Amino acid sequence: MAQGLILFLPRIGITVVPFREYERGWYVVVVDGNKINPVGGYHLSICDEEIATAIEVRLGEQVESRIVHTAEAAEELPDGQLILANDGRARRKREDSAGTTWTAFLRASVSTGDLHLPAKVLGVAK
């Protein structure tokens, strides 16, 4: 389902377009890169976990973001919100009867008190 979509990868901070699937992920073209992964010249191999936490965007459209500095501010975020914590891991908020947990794809969940703040709150592009 990811083929041809323009995806912002919050943990890495680049925007890519997946073009061919392989056993554990996708080969992608970088369309907005950084110093480590610049635009053009080669293709990257991105694992399924990175694709699953990506935010679909349009070219030229910025992904809205803001910073939360306290656990209280993090708790006020809506269920399902994606953040990029100060430890470099993207985590998604989940609320249930047991409380709030922040989960990285295929990683153990942490409580709000265990988040590495400040964290960048990533908006979803329309």
Side-chain angles (χ1 to χ4, degrees):
M1 291 177 36
Q3 186 171 1
L5 298 177
I6 302 168
L7 302 174
F8 174 67
L9 305 178
R11 189 182 67 80
I12 303 171
I14 63 174
T15 303
V16 300
V17 176
F19 66 89
R20 188 173 70 217
E21 192 172 15
Y22 69 97
E23 187 176 315
R24 292 169 298 198
W26 287 85
Y27 293 108
V28 301
V29 174
V30 178
V31 296
D32 186 16
N34 55 28
K35 288 182 181 180
I36 297 170
N37 300 295
V39 175
Y42 62 95
H43 304 303
L44 293 178
S45 169
I46 301 294
C47 67
D48 286 330
E49 291 83 6
E50 291 291 345
I51 298 295
T53 60
I55 298 169
E56 186 177 357
V57 296
R58 293 184 191 140
L59 287 180
E61 182 177 44
Q62 287 191 330
V63 176
E64 294 179 27
S65 65
R66 63 186 174 91
I67 305 294
V68 291
H69 295 275
T70 65
E72 293 78 17
E75 282 286 333
E76 292 175 6
L77 296 171
D79 194 26
Q81 177 66 57
L82 184 69
I83 65 167
L84 182 60
N86 206 29
D87 63 0
R89 292 186 180 168
R91 297 189 181 273
R92 190 170 303 276
K93 182 179 180 185
R94 186 172 139 245
E95 294 181 34
D96 58 25
S97 60
T100 301
T101 55
W102 296 85
T103 307
F105 194 77
L106 293 182
R107 303 217 183 231
S109 297
V110 297
S111 69
T112 303
D114 294 326
L115 279 177
H116 291 270
L117 298 172
K120 182 182 278 189
V121 180
L122 299 169
V124 178
K126 296 177 183 173

